Amino acid sequence: MSFTAKISLLTIGFLLLHLQSFAQCAMCRATIETNVSNGDTSIGAGLNLGIMYLLVMPYLIAAVIGFFWYRNSKKRKAKFTFQGEKF
């Protein structure tokens, strides 16, 4: 199995099998406490999912850019190799 396939499989595994995180900002926490005191408990799960979505996006974009950069540099390096000699 190639290195790229292993990294891709590992990344997909981490994205699909994530642990729940219950970190919230101060405003989100205040909103949740107000809603819970009024009897609405369903908003908390949706808010936590939204926070996780916002947290993952910058790292995902950086990973995709890094992958394409690595692949492009590897192709460029292979292009300058001729019969075992590097130019």
Side-chain angles (χ1 to χ4, degrees):
M1 184 180 274
S2 70
F3 178 73
T4 307
K6 288 179 184 177
I7 294 296
S8 299
L9 190 62
L10 188 63
T11 302
I12 291 170
F14 278 132
L15 290 175
L16 293 177
L17 300 172
H18 69 278
L19 298 174
Q20 290 185 353
S21 176
F22 294 106
Q24 296 175 347
C25 65
M27 291 299 293
C28 298
R29 184 177 180 141
T31 303
I32 295 297
E33 287 176 356
T34 303
N35 286 339
V36 168
S37 67
N38 291 336
D40 185 17
T41 58
S42 63
I43 194 168
L47 193 57
N48 280 333
L49 185 61
I51 291 170
M52 292 301 294
Y53 176 76
L54 290 172
L55 176 74
V56 167
M57 283 302 130
Y59 295 109
L60 186 62
I61 291 169
V64 168
I65 290 171
F67 169 73
F68 284 118
W69 188 347
Y70 172 74
R71 190 176 72 173
N72 190 21
S73 68
K74 195 168 186 172
K75 283 182 183 179
R76 191 177 304 149
K77 187 176 179 181
K79 184 178 178 182
F80 291 112
T81 303
F82 181 70
Q83 294 180 357
E85 298 178 17
K86 294 183 178 179
F87 289 99

